[in-house]
């Protein structure tokens, strides 16, 4: 399918249909916006009333503190009196005035009674009563000390709600409850809420306690028990404070309020009149006009899109010709717009890719090859080989076997180097060349250097790059052993596992400072430019070997170095076996 057809189909499904759908959705949103504003306004008013109710309940609950913190009340409830006169005097002087003060200062309190746990004291009514006279829920008698509770007396037939606040009173040490304070609250506490809801002839109100039992109802719309139960269940399960639901074929606004302090739920159901009938009639006309305009715009869009996509298709056809060895430039029409900019950027990218693939890659290969050739050129001038042969013959004729042996060994070294026209060799041959090099150094250093070889691997047929061990051995002798006067050791150990061949060259020579070691390690692991080694002096041979090993053996191969000043240096060469299989 062409891009033009895809854009046309995409336009229908991505733009045309979504816009029509969004128009209908927007209409419905506007249709419900007035209802939402109405419900939100109701919520704000009711929440303000609930806040006032919560403040009033706090004032009511504070009455408990006046009794709990009154020593005369605690003494009376505990029965700590020697005579009846003292008990009567204390009640009339201190306790009854406290009741009168609370009742007169808080109009929300209809009455208060303290039910006494002790039965040996005198009962003064109506303020005091025996605990067995308490008529509310018996579970309240099991309230722990310091915990108050709001209790609603179930009276469904009466819209007025009978509210009580009960709280246990403890002795001075708060170890034992000695009484139960029962505060009866007037209907004035809840009345402002009913007034703010503005109930009408098409609304119902349900008041439920914390156990979700209906304790009061005002019902103007008759509902079956099942319908009422379903609406109340939805009101509790919904996270929203209000929602809409179809009940008996009519759209209803259902609102839920919760008075936290008194633990009461208020669920109101109100029938919503169809006040937007005029807008509904105009809905279909509006949809038809929008659809017509979209069709006209779609035709214009198709003409414009096809003119653009043709140029993109030509560029796409040209781009299919590009492969890893062919980077043709696009020579079609290039205008000064976004497609033209894309085409110009494509041509620039093609030029850059050609440069990277052909020029930079070749330059990098030549650079590494020249570095390798430079390292070899340092030790293999042809005239030196003939000169050494002449020196050996003269030494033998003069009966100087040590000089003859040294010349012979050095000749073998040069012969190995001069035979480097092929870049690969066997590790066994590389090791023999190193042994010849060490022989010459032992003649020079004498007994100061002890050398050991440990071979725990099969190296006869292990292929490796030419001349990778001698620079490492030379670095160890020149920089680590020759610069100290003590007796030192040089050990070469070769071992293997399933994936790697390991060669460790260790000496007990001078070692190196930590800063110098970190510099070399960063160059070897590729996080620092090799130029840093040349600036700091030496190290080019080690760097060349590391680069050649990585190129030959691949990922995971290379040189690792550890060293401590005045203790020695260890150079570990890791050679991947995968490159030789």
């Amino acid at each position: 399918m062409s891009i033009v057809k895809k854009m046309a189909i995409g336009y229908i499904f991505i733009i045309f249909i979504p816009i029509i759908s969004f128009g209908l959705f927007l209409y419905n949103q506007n249709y419900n916006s007035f209802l939402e504003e109405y419900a939100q306004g109701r919520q704000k008013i009711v929440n303000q009333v609930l806040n006032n109710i919560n403040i009033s309940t706090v004032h009511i609950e504070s009455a408990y503190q006046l009794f709990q913190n009154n020593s005369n009340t605690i003494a009376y409830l505990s029965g700590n009196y020697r005579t009846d006169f003292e008990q009567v005097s204390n009640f009339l002087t201190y306790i009854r005035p406290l009741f009168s003060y609370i009742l007169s200062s808080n109009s929300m309190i209809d009455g208060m009674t303290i039910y006494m746990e002790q039965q040996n004291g005198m009962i003064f009514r109506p303020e005091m009563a025996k605990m067995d006279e308490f008529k509310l829920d018996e579970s309240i008698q099991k309230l722990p000390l310091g915990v108050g509770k709001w209790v609603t007396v179930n009276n469904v037939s009466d819209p007025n709600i009978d509210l009580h606040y009960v709280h246990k009173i403890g002795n001075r040490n708060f170890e034992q409850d000695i009484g139960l304070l029962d505060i009866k609250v007037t209907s004035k506490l809840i009345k402002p809420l009913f007034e703010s809801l503005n109930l009408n002839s098409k609304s119902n109100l349900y008041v439920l306690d914390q156990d979700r039992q209906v304790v009061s109802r005002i019902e103007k719309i008759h509902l079956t028990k099942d319908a009422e139960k379903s609406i109340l269940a939805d009101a509790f399960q919904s996270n929203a404070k209000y929602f809409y639901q179809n009940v008996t074929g009519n759209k209803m606004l259902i609102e839920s309020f919760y008075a936290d302090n008194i633990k009461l739920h208020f669920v109101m159901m109100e029938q919503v009149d169809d006040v937007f009938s005029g807008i509904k009639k105009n809905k279909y006309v509006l949809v038809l006009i929008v659809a017509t305009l979209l069709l006209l715009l779609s035709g214009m869009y198709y003409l414009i899109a096809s003119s653009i996509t043709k140029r993109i298709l030509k560029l796409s056809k040209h781009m299919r010709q590009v492969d890893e060895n062919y980077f043709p430039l696009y020579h079609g029409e290039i205008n000064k717009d976004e497609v033209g900019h894309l085409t110009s950027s494509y041509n620039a990218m093609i030029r850059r890719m050609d440069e990277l693939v052909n020029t930079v890659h070749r330059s990098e290969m030549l650079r590494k090859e020249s570095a390798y050739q430079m390292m070899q050129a340092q030790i293999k001038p042809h005239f030196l080989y003939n000169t050494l042969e002449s020196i050996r013959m003269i030494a033998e004729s003069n009966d100087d076997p040590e000089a003859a042996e040294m010349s012979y060994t050095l000749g073998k070294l040069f012969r190995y180097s001069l035979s480097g026209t092929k870049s690969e060799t066997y590790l066994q041959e590389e090791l023999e060349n190193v042994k010849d090099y060490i022989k010459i150094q032992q003649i020079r250093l004498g007994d100061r250097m002890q050398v050991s070889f440990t071979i725990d691997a099969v190296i006869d047929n292990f292929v490796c790059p030419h001349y990778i061990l001698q620079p490492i051995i030379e670095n160890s002798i020149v920089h680590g052993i020759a610069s100290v006067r003590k007796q030192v050791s040089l050990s070469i150990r070769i071992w293997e596992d399933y994936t790697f061949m390991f060669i460790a060259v260790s000496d007990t020579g001078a070692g190196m400072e930590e800063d110098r070691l970190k510099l070399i390690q960063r160059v070897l692991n590729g996080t620092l430019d090799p130029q840093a080694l040349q600036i700091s002096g030496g190290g080019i041979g080690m760097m060349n070997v590391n680069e050649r090993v990585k190129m030959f053996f691949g990922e995971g191969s290379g040189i690792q170095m550890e060293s401590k000043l005045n203790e020695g240096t260890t150079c570990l060469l890791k050679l991947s076996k995968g490159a030789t299989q």
Side-chain angles (χ1 to χ4, degrees), residues 417-432:
S417 175
L418 292 172
S419 65
T421 54
K422 57 179 183 177
S423 60
E424 299 177 4
T425 186
Y426 291 109
L427 184 57
Q428 178 66 46
E429 295 179 1
E430 188 73 7
L431 183 63
E432 293 299 328

mmCIF file with all atom_site columns, all heavy atoms in Angstrom, residues 417-432:
data_model
loop_
_atom_site.group_PDB
_atom_site.id
_atom_site.type_symbol
_atom_site.label_atom_id
_atom_site.label_alt_id
_atom_site.label_comp_id
_atom_site.label_asym_id
_atom_site.label_entity_id
_atom_site.label_seq_id
_atom_site.pdbx_PDB_ins_code
_atom_site.Cartn_x
_atom_site.Cartn_y
_atom_site.Cartn_z
_atom_site.occupancy
_atom_site.B_iso_or_equiv
_atom_site.pdbx_formal_charge
_atom_site.auth_seq_id
_atom_site.auth_comp_id
_atom_site.auth_asym_id
_atom_site.auth_atom_id
_atom_site.pdbx_PDB_model_num
ATOM 1   N N   . SER A 1 417 ? 63.683 -11.922 14.092 1.00 0.00 ? 417 SER A N   1
ATOM 2   C CA  . SER A 1 417 ? 63.052 -10.644 13.758 1.00 0.00 ? 417 SER A CA  1
ATOM 3   C C   . SER A 1 417 ? 63.003 -10.433 12.257 1.00 0.00 ? 417 SER A C   1
ATOM 4   O O   . SER A 1 417 ? 61.997 -9.986  11.706 1.00 0.00 ? 417 SER A O   1
ATOM 5   C CB  . SER A 1 417 ? 63.814 -9.499  14.435 1.00 0.00 ? 417 SER A CB  1
ATOM 6   O OG  . SER A 1 417 ? 63.304 -8.264  14.038 1.00 0.00 ? 417 SER A OG  1
ATOM 7   N N   . LEU A 1 418 ? 64.089 -10.758 11.577 1.00 0.00 ? 418 LEU A N   1
ATOM 8   C CA  . LEU A 1 418 ? 64.155 -10.535 10.135 1.00 0.00 ? 418 LEU A CA  1
ATOM 9   C C   . LEU A 1 418 ? 63.252 -11.484 9.364  1.00 0.00 ? 418 LEU A C   1
ATOM 10  O O   . LEU A 1 418 ? 62.901 -11.218 8.213  1.00 0.00 ? 418 LEU A O   1
ATOM 11  C CB  . LEU A 1 418 ? 65.597 -10.683 9.648  1.00 0.00 ? 418 LEU A CB  1
ATOM 12  C CG  . LEU A 1 418 ? 66.570 -9.590  10.144 1.00 0.00 ? 418 LEU A CG  1
ATOM 13  C CD1 . LEU A 1 418 ? 67.987 -9.944  9.763  1.00 0.00 ? 418 LEU A CD1 1
ATOM 14  C CD2 . LEU A 1 418 ? 66.178 -8.253  9.547  1.00 0.00 ? 418 LEU A CD2 1
ATOM 15  N N   . SER A 1 419 ? 62.853 -12.570 10.020 1.00 0.00 ? 419 SER A N   1
ATOM 16  C CA  . SER A 1 419 ? 61.954 -13.507 9.340  1.00 0.00 ? 419 SER A CA  1
ATOM 17  C C   . SER A 1 419 ? 60.487 -13.105 9.511  1.00 0.00 ? 419 SER A C   1
ATOM 18  O O   . SER A 1 419 ? 59.603 -13.887 9.222  1.00 0.00 ? 419 SER A O   1
ATOM 19  C CB  . SER A 1 419 ? 62.157 -14.927 9.892  1.00 0.00 ? 419 SER A CB  1
ATOM 20  O OG  . SER A 1 419 ? 61.774 -14.984 11.264 1.00 0.00 ? 419 SER A OG  1
ATOM 21  N N   . GLY A 1 420 ? 60.274 -11.906 9.982  1.00 0.00 ? 420 GLY A N   1
ATOM 22  C CA  . GLY A 1 420 ? 58.909 -11.462 10.294 1.00 0.00 ? 420 GLY A CA  1
ATOM 23  C C   . GLY A 1 420 ? 58.120 -11.004 9.098  1.00 0.00 ? 420 GLY A C   1
ATOM 24  O O   . GLY A 1 420 ? 57.277 -10.117 9.228  1.00 0.00 ? 420 GLY A O   1
ATOM 25  N N   . THR A 1 421 ? 58.369 -11.495 7.934  1.00 0.00 ? 421 THR A N   1
ATOM 26  C CA  . THR A 1 421 ? 57.540 -11.125 6.776  1.00 0.00 ? 421 THR A CA  1
ATOM 27  C C   . THR A 1 421 ? 56.136 -11.671 6.928  1.00 0.00 ? 421 THR A C   1
ATOM 28  O O   . THR A 1 421 ? 55.188 -11.121 6.401  1.00 0.00 ? 421 THR A O   1
ATOM 29  C CB  . THR A 1 421 ? 58.167 -11.676 5.495  1.00 0.00 ? 421 THR A CB  1
ATOM 30  O OG1 . THR A 1 421 ? 58.381 -13.084 5.647  1.00 0.00 ? 421 THR A OG1 1
ATOM 31  C CG2 . THR A 1 421 ? 59.490 -10.982 5.212  1.00 0.00 ? 421 THR A CG2 1
ATOM 32  N N   . LYS A 1 422 ? 56.014 -12.764 7.663  1.00 0.00 ? 422 LYS A N   1
ATOM 33  C CA  . LYS A 1 422 ? 54.677 -13.252 7.991  1.00 0.00 ? 422 LYS A CA  1
ATOM 34  C C   . LYS A 1 422 ? 54.330 -12.763 9.403  1.00 0.00 ? 422 LYS A C   1
ATOM 35  O O   . LYS A 1 422 ? 55.174 -12.750 10.292 1.00 0.00 ? 422 LYS A O   1
ATOM 36  C CB  . LYS A 1 422 ? 54.605 -14.778 7.928  1.00 0.00 ? 422 LYS A CB  1
ATOM 37  C CG  . LYS A 1 422 ? 55.591 -15.510 8.819  1.00 0.00 ? 422 LYS A CG  1
ATOM 38  C CD  . LYS A 1 422 ? 55.412 -17.006 8.697  1.00 0.00 ? 422 LYS A CD  1
ATOM 39  C CE  . LYS A 1 422 ? 56.369 -17.729 9.656  1.00 0.00 ? 422 LYS A CE  1
ATOM 40  N NZ  . LYS A 1 422 ? 56.166 -19.180 9.620  1.00 0.00 ? 422 LYS A NZ  1
ATOM 41  N N   . SER A 1 423 ? 53.089 -12.354 9.583  1.00 0.00 ? 423 SER A N   1
ATOM 42  C CA  . SER A 1 423 ? 52.692 -11.697 10.831 1.00 0.00 ? 423 SER A CA  1
ATOM 43  C C   . SER A 1 423 ? 52.326 -12.685 11.930 1.00 0.00 ? 423 SER A C   1
ATOM 44  O O   . SER A 1 423 ? 52.089 -12.264 13.061 1.00 0.00 ? 423 SER A O   1
ATOM 45  C CB  . SER A 1 423 ? 51.489 -10.773 10.578 1.00 0.00 ? 423 SER A CB  1
ATOM 46  O OG  . SER A 1 423 ? 50.392 -11.528 10.085 1.00 0.00 ? 423 SER A OG  1
ATOM 47  N N   . GLU A 1 424 ? 52.269 -13.995 11.646 1.00 0.00 ? 424 GLU A N   1
ATOM 48  C CA  . GLU A 1 424 ? 51.869 -14.976 12.644 1.00 0.00 ? 424 GLU A CA  1
ATOM 49  C C   . GLU A 1 424 ? 52.987 -15.970 12.895 1.00 0.00 ? 424 GLU A C   1
ATOM 50  O O   . GLU A 1 424 ? 53.847 -16.195 12.041 1.00 0.00 ? 424 GLU A O   1
ATOM 51  C CB  . GLU A 1 424 ? 50.613 -15.728 12.183 1.00 0.00 ? 424 GLU A CB  1
ATOM 52  C CG  . GLU A 1 424 ? 49.409 -14.840 11.962 1.00 0.00 ? 424 GLU A CG  1
ATOM 53  C CD  . GLU A 1 424 ? 48.229 -15.633 11.437 1.00 0.00 ? 424 GLU A CD  1
ATOM 54  O OE1 . GLU A 1 424 ? 48.356 -16.873 11.327 1.00 0.00 ? 424 GLU A OE1 1
ATOM 55  O OE2 . GLU A 1 424 ? 47.175 -15.021 11.143 1.00 0.00 ? 424 GLU A OE2 1
ATOM 56  N N   . THR A 1 425 ? 52.953 -16.552 14.099 1.00 0.00 ? 425 THR A N   1
ATOM 57  C CA  . THR A 1 425 ? 53.915 -17.586 14.467 1.00 0.00 ? 425 THR A CA  1
ATOM 58  C C   . THR A 1 425 ? 53.261 -18.462 15.520 1.00 0.00 ? 425 THR A C   1
ATOM 59  O O   . THR A 1 425 ? 52.099 -18.252 15.888 1.00 0.00 ? 425 THR A O   1
ATOM 60  C CB  . THR A 1 425 ? 55.208 -16.947 15.005 1.00 0.00 ? 425 THR A CB  1
ATOM 61  O OG1 . THR A 1 425 ? 56.178 -17.996 15.215 1.00 0.00 ? 425 THR A OG1 1
ATOM 62  C CG2 . THR A 1 425 ? 54.960 -16.208 16.308 1.00 0.00 ? 425 THR A CG2 1
ATOM 63  N N   . TYR A 1 426 ? 54.025 -19.459 16.017 1.00 0.00 ? 426 TYR A N   1
ATOM 64  C CA  . TYR A 1 426 ? 53.526 -20.300 17.102 1.00 0.00 ? 426 TYR A CA  1
ATOM 65  C C   . TYR A 1 426 ? 54.070 -19.788 18.422 1.00 0.00 ? 426 TYR A C   1
ATOM 66  O O   . TYR A 1 426 ? 55.185 -19.243 18.489 1.00 0.00 ? 426 TYR A O   1
ATOM 67  C CB  . TYR A 1 426 ? 53.940 -21.755 16.895 1.00 0.00 ? 426 TYR A CB  1
ATOM 68  C CG  . TYR A 1 426 ? 53.244 -22.400 15.709 1.00 0.00 ? 426 TYR A CG  1
ATOM 69  C CD1 . TYR A 1 426 ? 53.946 -22.706 14.552 1.00 0.00 ? 426 TYR A CD1 1
ATOM 70  C CD2 . TYR A 1 426 ? 51.884 -22.689 15.764 1.00 0.00 ? 426 TYR A CD2 1
ATOM 71  C CE1 . TYR A 1 426 ? 53.305 -23.288 13.463 1.00 0.00 ? 426 TYR A CE1 1
ATOM 72  C CE2 . TYR A 1 426 ? 51.242 -23.276 14.682 1.00 0.00 ? 426 TYR A CE2 1
ATOM 73  C CZ  . TYR A 1 426 ? 51.952 -23.564 13.539 1.00 0.00 ? 426 TYR A CZ  1
ATOM 74  O OH  . TYR A 1 426 ? 51.314 -24.132 12.475 1.00 0.00 ? 426 TYR A OH  1
ATOM 75  N N   . LEU A 1 427 ? 53.301 -19.979 19.473 1.00 0.00 ? 427 LEU A N   1
ATOM 76  C CA  . LEU A 1 427 ? 53.715 -19.490 20.791 1.00 0.00 ? 427 LEU A CA  1
ATOM 77  C C   . LEU A 1 427 ? 55.006 -20.163 21.241 1.00 0.00 ? 427 LEU A C   1
ATOM 78  O O   . LEU A 1 427 ? 55.829 -19.541 21.934 1.00 0.00 ? 427 LEU A O   1
ATOM 79  C CB  . LEU A 1 427 ? 52.580 -19.725 21.813 1.00 0.00 ? 427 LEU A CB  1
ATOM 80  C CG  . LEU A 1 427 ? 52.819 -19.195 23.218 1.00 0.00 ? 427 LEU A CG  1
ATOM 81  C CD1 . LEU A 1 427 ? 53.105 -17.694 23.192 1.00 0.00 ? 427 LEU A CD1 1
ATOM 82  C CD2 . LEU A 1 427 ? 51.620 -19.489 24.119 1.00 0.00 ? 427 LEU A CD2 1
ATOM 83  N N   . GLN A 1 428 ? 55.234 -21.418 20.827 1.00 0.00 ? 428 GLN A N   1
ATOM 84  C CA  . GLN A 1 428 ? 56.468 -22.114 21.189 1.00 0.00 ? 428 GLN A CA  1
ATOM 85  C C   . GLN A 1 428 ? 57.679 -21.392 20.590 1.00 0.00 ? 428 GLN A C   1
ATOM 86  O O   . GLN A 1 428 ? 58.700 -21.187 21.263 1.00 0.00 ? 428 GLN A O   1
ATOM 87  C CB  . GLN A 1 428 ? 56.411 -23.561 20.691 1.00 0.00 ? 428 GLN A CB  1
ATOM 88  C CG  . GLN A 1 428 ? 57.677 -24.389 20.972 1.00 0.00 ? 428 GLN A CG  1
ATOM 89  C CD  . GLN A 1 428 ? 57.891 -24.599 22.455 1.00 0.00 ? 428 GLN A CD  1
ATOM 90  O OE1 . GLN A 1 428 ? 56.954 -24.939 23.171 1.00 0.00 ? 428 GLN A OE1 1
ATOM 91  N NE2 . GLN A 1 428 ? 59.111 -24.398 22.932 1.00 0.00 ? 428 GLN A NE2 1
ATOM 92  N N   . GLU A 1 429 ? 57.591 -20.973 19.322 1.00 0.00 ? 429 GLU A N   1
ATOM 93  C CA  . GLU A 1 429 ? 58.679 -20.248 18.675 1.00 0.00 ? 429 GLU A CA  1
ATOM 94  C C   . GLU A 1 429 ? 58.882 -18.890 19.325 1.00 0.00 ? 429 GLU A C   1
ATOM 95  O O   . GLU A 1 429 ? 60.026 -18.440 19.500 1.00 0.00 ? 429 GLU A O   1
ATOM 96  C CB  . GLU A 1 429 ? 58.372 -20.081 17.185 1.00 0.00 ? 429 GLU A CB  1
ATOM 97  C CG  . GLU A 1 429 ? 58.317 -21.394 16.421 1.00 0.00 ? 429 GLU A CG  1
ATOM 98  C CD  . GLU A 1 429 ? 57.981 -21.177 14.959 1.00 0.00 ? 429 GLU A CD  1
ATOM 99  O OE1 . GLU A 1 429 ? 57.814 -19.999 14.570 1.00 0.00 ? 429 GLU A OE1 1
ATOM 100 O OE2 . GLU A 1 429 ? 57.870 -22.172 14.219 1.00 0.00 ? 429 GLU A OE2 1
ATOM 101 N N   . GLU A 1 430 ? 57.786 -18.246 19.700 1.00 0.00 ? 430 GLU A N   1
ATOM 102 C CA  . GLU A 1 430 ? 57.896 -16.952 20.381 1.00 0.00 ? 430 GLU A CA  1
ATOM 103 C C   . GLU A 1 430 ? 58.614 -17.107 21.711 1.00 0.00 ? 430 GLU A C   1
ATOM 104 O O   . GLU A 1 430 ? 59.435 -16.275 22.107 1.00 0.00 ? 430 GLU A O   1
ATOM 105 C CB  . GLU A 1 430 ? 56.491 -16.364 20.594 1.00 0.00 ? 430 GLU A CB  1
ATOM 106 C CG  . GLU A 1 430 ? 56.461 -14.942 21.110 1.00 0.00 ? 430 GLU A CG  1
ATOM 107 C CD  . GLU A 1 430 ? 56.854 -13.909 20.085 1.00 0.00 ? 430 GLU A CD  1
ATOM 108 O OE1 . GLU A 1 430 ? 57.027 -14.264 18.899 1.00 0.00 ? 430 GLU A OE1 1
ATOM 109 O OE2 . GLU A 1 430 ? 57.029 -12.736 20.473 1.00 0.00 ? 430 GLU A OE2 1
ATOM 110 N N   . LEU A 1 431 ? 58.330 -18.221 22.421 1.00 0.00 ? 431 LEU A N   1
ATOM 111 C CA  . LEU A 1 431 ? 58.980 -18.469 23.705 1.00 0.00 ? 431 LEU A CA  1
ATOM 112 C C   . LEU A 1 431 ? 60.471 -18.743 23.523 1.00 0.00 ? 431 LEU A C   1
ATOM 113 O O   . LEU A 1 431 ? 61.306 -18.291 24.326 1.00 0.00 ? 431 LEU A O   1
ATOM 114 C CB  . LEU A 1 431 ? 58.287 -19.643 24.409 1.00 0.00 ? 431 LEU A CB  1
ATOM 115 C CG  . LEU A 1 431 ? 58.803 -19.974 25.805 1.00 0.00 ? 431 LEU A CG  1
ATOM 116 C CD1 . LEU A 1 431 ? 58.573 -18.807 26.753 1.00 0.00 ? 431 LEU A CD1 1
ATOM 117 C CD2 . LEU A 1 431 ? 58.102 -21.224 26.350 1.00 0.00 ? 431 LEU A CD2 1
ATOM 118 N N   . GLU A 1 432 ? 60.862 -19.510 22.464 1.00 0.00 ? 432 GLU A N   1
ATOM 119 C CA  . GLU A 1 432 ? 62.277 -19.789 22.213 1.00 0.00 ? 432 GLU A CA  1
ATOM 120 C C   . GLU A 1 432 ? 63.027 -18.497 21.929 1.00 0.00 ? 432 GLU A C   1
ATOM 121 O O   . GLU A 1 432 ? 64.175 -18.311 22.365 1.00 0.00 ? 432 GLU A O   1
ATOM 122 C CB  . GLU A 1 432 ? 62.408 -20.755 21.026 1.00 0.00 ? 432 GLU A CB  1
ATOM 123 C CG  . GLU A 1 432 ? 61.871 -22.151 21.292 1.00 0.00 ? 432 GLU A CG  1
ATOM 124 C CD  . GLU A 1 432 ? 62.616 -22.843 22.425 1.00 0.00 ? 432 GLU A CD  1
ATOM 125 O OE1 . GLU A 1 432 ? 63.833 -22.574 22.583 1.00 0.00 ? 432 GLU A OE1 1
ATOM 126 O OE2 . GLU A 1 432 ? 61.989 -23.629 23.169 1.00 0.00 ? 432 GLU A OE2 1
#
